Amino acid sequence: MSINFKELANKYQTPYYVYDFDHITKQYNELKSSFKARKSLVAYAVKANSNLSVIKHLANLGAGADCVSIGEVKRALKVGIPAYRIIFSGVGKIDSEIKEALTLGILMINVESDAELNRVEQIAKELDIVARISVRVNPNIDPKTHPYISTGLHENKFGVDIDTAKRMYIQCKNSDYLEPRGIHLHIGSQLTQLEPIKESVKIVSDLVKNLAAIKIELSFFDVGGGLGIIYDDEKLIDTNEYAQSILECLFGLDITVVCEPGRFLVGNSGVFVTKVLYEKVNGNKRFVIVDGAMNDLLRPSLYNAYHKVEVLNDNQEFNDCNLVGPVCESGDFFAKDVQLPKTQHDDLVAIYSAGAYCFTMASNYNTRGKVAEIAYEDGKDRLIRKRETFEDIIALEEEYIK
Ligand SMILES: *Cc1c(COP(=O)(O)O)cnc(C)c1O
């Protein structure tokens, strides 16, 4: 990446996010081509980074969208992802969301419980629409990732067990308002081991074969997302091996493979750039305080997640410190016990791997406006989201002051 962070800081102020769109293209093409001639759909998990220009970029590449709220469905539609490439997932869909999703005619709804299936059936009946259904199966496999981003164990709230899934498909088959269309699993995020994916896909593909034997034929096999990226020194799953092991399990089935990557497509496209305000020493602990904070980039505070950080100056004198923001929480840090050079006011700090689950988790805590987002493509930068102003932050409250 040859982005000149300093130039962007002068042009757009700090903090900001910049996303390398060419990297997103490269990641998309790598994954898409690993499925080779097989019918496949790469449905981008919009929650990773839902900036409209990011989704648009993926739409142009031919991606579909995996959405976890009706708002995300509408974002995808707005930038031209066709309804037939949009999937609606999530453990707690609201009635109004189900209704709207059915009306919009998306590819399918990933249902996560029998109670939800009943709701969908009821709503479809009221609308006199046939709902295309995919059931999210929880294969009870440990994905060997961080417990907060593990989803494929029965102790997690996601999906249903095999027997429940089978019953739900039979209910679909017997209903005038439900059409069994696909099957879904998603065992976790930031996966770096292939084995748990293979095991899960095998379990779920066996169910697909069992269903076919009772004349329930599914058209889509959705393996979920979760492919990891390098934050630090992780060893990654090879996308060709990934695709190959999935296709092996599906041998003999006429079924389209769907995958729903979020982090893999956008995570390493993004850099969060912030500016040094001050250094201080408390006792013998050194702190470098920057203008970005946990409200802008929450992952270190939320998951103790590692992000590589780099001070963009030429100083060679490195010392241990905590890199922290101005928010009034001790949890407001980007890195702890990290070796950073001596800094000066206005030095820039780059926080890498910030394209996924960073801006989308941002809040206005401490009445801080959300920062600017910038796209970098073909050697050129452009603003894709304006920095929020004080007026933006208070806009929905102001008229109610008594
Ligand atoms: C979050 C999520 C994804 C994307 O996960 P990544 O780790 O970003 O690839 C895919 N599918 C579902 C159902 C999800 O909830």
Side-chain angles (χ1 to χ4, degrees):
M1 206 186 301
S2 57
I3 301 175
N4 186 331
F5 297 128
K6 188 150 198 158
E7 218 173 272
L8 296 185
N10 291 336
K11 191 163 163 188
Y12 301 104
Q13 281 70 60
T14 57
Y16 64 79
Y17 280 97
V18 59
Y19 310 119
D20 180 353
F21 277 21
D22 300 323
H23 176 81
I24 299 175
T25 306
K26 182 177 138 288
Q27 295 294 99
Y28 176 85
N29 288 339
E30 176 185 328
L31 189 57
K32 180 72 185 168
S33 64
S34 69
F35 287 100
K36 305 220 166 61
R38 183 80 187 207
K39 284 180 287 181
S40 67
L41 173 64
V42 176
Y44 170 53
V46 170
K47 72 175 187 285
N49 185 325
S50 43
N51 184 289
L52 290 172
S53 299
V54 171
I55 308 171
K56 174 88 195 280
H57 183 72
L58 283 153
N60 291 343
L61 295 170
D66 175 60
C67 303
V68 292
S69 72
I70 202 70
E72 288 187 356
V73 171
K74 290 199 242 182
R75 278 183 183 267
L77 286 168
K78 187 166 186 76
V79 296
I81 296 191
Y84 61 81
R85 287 194 190 135
I86 296 178
I87 301 161
F88 186 16
S89 307
V91 76
K93 299 179 195 76
I94 301 161
D95 285 8
S96 59
E97 293 186 303
I98 296 170
K99 189 168 173 181
E100 215 171 335
L102 290 174
T103 314
L104 290 167
I106 61 168
L107 176 63
M108 55 196 181
I109 298 184
N110 282 341
V111 169
E112 302 219 14
S113 63
D114 42 14
E116 188 191 349
L117 187 65
N118 292 335
R119 284 307 308 153
V120 174
E121 184 174 24
Q122 185 60 38
I123 294 167
K125 187 172 175 188
E126 283 160 19
L127 295 171
D128 197 22
I129 288 177
V130 177
R132 290 181 289 271
I133 299 297
S134 159
V135 176
R136 176 163 177 181
V137 179
N138 182 323
N140 200 24
I141 294 288
D142 183 352
K144 309 213 163 59
T145 180
H146 190 290
Y148 280 22
I149 49 180
S150 152
T151 55
L153 281 167
H154 284 166
E155 69 193 59
N156 303 126
K157 68 181 176 184
F158 300 98
V160 298
D161 59 56
I162 296 279
D163 291 336
T164 309
K166 196 164 176 184
R167 266 194 290 111
M168 287 165 71
Y169 280 110
I170 292 170
Q171 179 179 344
C172 288
K173 191 183 179 194
N174 294 333
S175 166
D176 291 337
Y177 298 98
L178 300 172
E179 181 195 340
R181 203 70 202 285
I183 197 159
H184 178 222
L185 69 147
H186 172 72
I187 60 169
S189 202
Q190 185 55 14
L191 306 177
T192 52
Q193 294 182 39
L194 186 54
E195 208 47 46
I197 302 178
K198 264 192 196 170
E199 279 180 58
S200 312
V201 169
K202 176 78 176 69
I203 291 170
V204 178
S205 64
D206 285 345
L207 175 59
V208 172
K209 287 167 195 168
N210 282 335
L211 291 169
I214 55 169
K215 291 271 169 295
I216 297 175
E217 270 143 25
L218 302 176
S219 312
F220 295 93
F221 191 101
D222 183 346
V223 296
L227 281 173
I229 60 167
I230 294 179
Y231 285 95
D232 187 6
D233 54 5
E234 294 87 347
K235 204 173 161 302
L236 298 186
I237 295 171
D238 176 83
T239 45
N240 281 314
E241 285 176 31
Y242 169 76
Q244 211 42 49
S245 62
I246 294 165
L247 296 181
E248 268 165 32
C249 291
L250 302 182
F251 185 77
L253 292 167
D254 179 23
I255 204 162
T256 300
V257 185
V258 182
C259 62
E260 310 168 337
R263 192 188 311 270
F264 176 84
L265 294 177
V266 296
N268 269 332
S269 77
V271 183
F272 179 69
V273 178
T274 177
K275 210 175 226 182
V276 173
L277 300 172
Y278 319 102
E279 284 211 18
K280 73 186 267 186
V281 177
N282 280 351
N284 51 16
K285 188 77 214 177
R286 171 185 170 217
F287 292 91
V288 175
I289 305 163
V290 290
D291 62 358
M294 65 185 287
N295 73 294
D296 304 311
L297 197 165
L298 186 62
R299 297 187 71 257
S301 308
L302 184 63
Y303 308 127
N304 209 14
Y306 172 87
H307 283 263
K308 187 180 146 205
V309 302
E310 184 183 14
V311 175
L312 306 174
N313 70 18
D314 296 327
N315 214 324
Q316 295 303 316
E317 186 197 334
F318 282 71
N319 272 303
D320 186 78
C321 69
N322 285 5
L323 181 68
V324 303
V327 159
C328 305
E329 299 279 344
S330 294
D332 180 24
F333 67 92
F334 293 120
K336 282 188 169 166
D337 303 320
V338 59
Q339 293 285 321
L340 292 182
K342 173 122 198 63
T343 65
Q344 292 203 320
H345 187 70
D346 283 352
D347 279 351
L348 294 180
V349 180
I351 301 179
Y352 293 98
S353 309
Y357 307 105
C358 289
F359 187 91
T360 44
M361 286 189 181
S363 77
N364 291 119
Y365 189 40
N366 281 207
T367 304
R368 293 166 51 88
K370 290 186 194 161
V371 306
E373 290 179 289
I374 302 158
Y376 186 82
E377 187 175 14
D378 273 343
K380 289 195 277 296
D381 57 87
R382 66 176 197 275
L383 191 64
I384 55 172
R385 194 182 202 271
K386 260 199 299 209
R387 184 179 303 284
E388 288 180 2
T389 62
F390 173 68
E391 285 68 34
D392 294 328
I393 301 176
I394 63 166
L396 303 177
E397 301 162 36
E398 208 175 3
E399 63 180 290
Y400 300 107
I401 305 170
K402 280 220 286 199

